[in-house]
Amino acid sequence: MSYCFPPPKPNFCPHCGLPLEERYIPEEGRERLVCAQGHIFYLNPKVVVSVVAVREGRVLLLRRAIEPRRGYWTLPGGYMEIDESVEGCALRETHEETGLNVRLAGLLTILSRPAPTGPGIVSIVFWGETQDGELHIGPEVLEARFFSPQEIPWDALAYDTVREALRTYLAKQKELGAHPPTST
Ligand SMILES: [Zn+2]
C-alpha cells in the first residue's frame, strides 16, 4: 500500500466539469467542494486493506520497492477496488505482492488516519495463515520474508498503521488462537 499525502482534492466537478470551490453548506454545518450548478463533491476516506499473514508463528513483511517509503517494511495490502469485497482485496493484494495464498482467520483491527494530519484513510487489517507455496515477489516489492516477533524491524516500518497492526497482533496472538513461532 502507499498513501498519497495529503489526500488530493479534485479541481473540477465530475458531474458537469465546472470548477469546484470550497463553500460553507449551512445544512451540513461544514465546508464542502461545490460547483456553480450546486453539485457537491463529497470527499470521503479511502479504504486500505492489509493482512498480517502468518506462517509457523512468523509474520510476513514486504520491503517497498517504490516511493513513498522505499526500502521500508510494510504488510501485504493496498487500496480496495470499487468492485471487490474487503476479503477479496486482502487475498488479491497478498497474492499480487507475494505469490502466496492466505487463509483469512478473522479481522484483526480497524484503524483510521483522518485528514488533514493523516492521509484520510480507513485501514482494515485481517490476519490469517499463509498456504504452502514459494514467495514470488511482485514489482512493487524489493524483498519479502517472515519475521519472528523478536525479529520485527520496528524502526524500519513504513507506516504507523503497520506498527499498530503488528502490536495488536502480538498482543492478541493467544486470544486469536495463532500458533506460536516454531523453534526451527
Ligand atoms: Zn457540477
Side-chain angles (χ1 to χ4, degrees):
M1 73 180 117
S2 73
Y3 302 154
C4 187
F5 183 81
K9 289 182 182 178
N11 295 315
F12 298 99
C13 176
H15 299 287
C16 68
L18 290 175
L20 288 167
E21 58 175 45
E22 293 206 43
R23 202 190 306 158
Y24 184 77
I25 309 292
E27 298 82 0
E28 305 203 20
R30 59 178 292 163
E31 293 211 331
R32 301 272 187 208
L33 291 168
V34 190
C35 77
Q37 295 209 53
H39 299 132
I40 298 176
F41 185 89
Y42 289 93
L43 214 49
N44 300 113
K46 286 194 174 228
V47 178
V48 173
V49 182
S50 309
V51 187
V52 174
V54 184
R55 175 179 283 177
E56 293 168 350
R58 294 174 170 79
V59 299
L60 178 59
L61 294 176
L62 319 177
R63 211 150 70 81
R64 293 174 56 79
I66 49 171
E67 296 294 349
R69 309 296 280 160
R70 187 178 196 277
Y72 288 82
W73 294 90
T74 190
L75 295 168
Y79 287 110
M80 193 177 167
E81 300 288 353
I82 197 82
D83 58 355
E84 69 185 349
S85 65
V86 284
E87 294 85 357
C89 179
L91 301 177
R92 175 183 58 76
E93 289 284 355
T94 306
H95 191 262
E96 277 175 11
E97 293 176 338
T98 69
L100 293 177
N101 293 311
V102 60
R103 192 177 60 245
L104 296 180
L107 179 67
L108 182 64
T109 187
I110 299 177
L111 307 167
S112 54
R113 294 293 180 266
T117 51
I121 56 143
V122 173
S123 175
I124 297 176
V125 189
F126 289 97
W127 79 279
E129 303 267 349
T130 59
Q131 312 284 64
D132 287 343
E134 296 290 311
L135 279 166
H136 292 288
I137 57 175
E140 297 183 355
V141 178
L142 289 173
E143 181 185 356
R145 55 167 285 211
F146 289 89
F147 290 85
S148 72
Q150 295 75 25
E151 295 169 329
I152 291 172
W154 295 103
D155 295 333
L157 298 177
Y159 301 106
D160 68 341
T161 47
V162 174
R163 189 170 301 114
E164 199 166 331
L166 288 170
R167 281 205 190 112
T168 302
Y169 173 74
L170 294 178
K172 284 190 177 177
Q173 220 173 352
K174 280 211 180 87
E175 149 193 354
L176 293 170
H179 300 294
T182 51
S183 51
T184 52

